Amino acid sequence: MDSDSPVGCGFLGAAILAGLGIVGCAVANSLEYSQGARIGVINKFSKKGFIWKTYEGQLALEGILSEGGQTGANVWDFSIDNSDGKNIDDLSAKIQEYMGRSQKVKVTYFEPWKTWPWRSETDYLIQSVEPVEKKE
């Protein structure tokens, strides 16, 4: 096969394009888009997935009062970052403990630009969870 043949150039171009795509996805997965904290009560937490098992949860945020005095439910979905193996068991145990007590918690998180599917289901990756003390 001649190196100037269209088949050889097409394969090389496709390989370069695929390589650039993988590098681009890796960069997007590591760029921090935002970070912050949320306060609420954890009402759902599970390990799920067919191929990649990820820890996913839901935080019930404090409601907003309407003119009629009604409180609206507002939930926030989060994940534990599977790429950080050292923190998974500790966070999971704390989340289950606070959820069992219906304890109000503060969750700190960061959001990468995009995540791999085996890393998490959501883009909000929690870093810590701590109880919020009730004000007297």
Side-chain angles (χ1 to χ4, degrees):
M1 183 182 290
D2 187 8
S3 64
D4 293 334
S5 73
V7 173
C9 290
F11 176 74
L12 180 60
I16 290 172
L17 189 60
L20 288 174
I22 290 170
V23 168
C25 287
V27 168
N29 191 48
S30 63
L31 288 176
E32 187 174 290
Y33 177 71
S34 73
Q35 64 181 17
R38 303 217 178 180
I39 294 177
V41 177
I42 297 169
N43 63 358
K44 184 169 81 168
F45 185 67
S46 62
K47 185 174 185 179
K48 62 187 206 177
F50 287 113
I51 298 172
W52 300 294
K53 300 290 185 191
T54 60
Y55 285 100
E56 309 297 331
Q58 197 171 66
L59 186 72
L61 303 171
E62 295 198 348
I64 301 170
L65 291 176
S66 67
E67 288 181 25
Q70 299 294 320
T71 303
N74 190 8
V75 295
W76 177 69
D77 295 320
F78 64 85
S79 302
I80 293 181
D81 189 354
N82 268 354
S83 70
D84 182 16
K86 64 183 183 296
N87 208 13
I88 293 173
D89 294 335
D90 184 43
L91 277 174
S92 176
K94 285 182 179 179
I95 288 169
Q96 290 173 357
E97 176 189 344
Y98 298 143
M99 185 174 73
R101 290 191 276 153
S102 297
Q103 170 77 46
K104 186 187 282 190
V105 295
K106 177 182 178 182
V107 173
T108 59
Y109 69 93
F110 82 95
E111 178 185 8
W113 191 26
K114 259 310 172 202
T115 58
W116 297 107
W118 54 84
R119 187 174 185 187
S120 68
E121 187 175 290
T122 73
D123 288 337
Y124 299 103
L125 307 176
I126 66 168
Q127 303 303 298
S128 67
V129 58
E130 57 191 48
V132 173
E133 300 299 323
K134 293 181 181 179
K135 294 183 181 178
E136 302 280 332

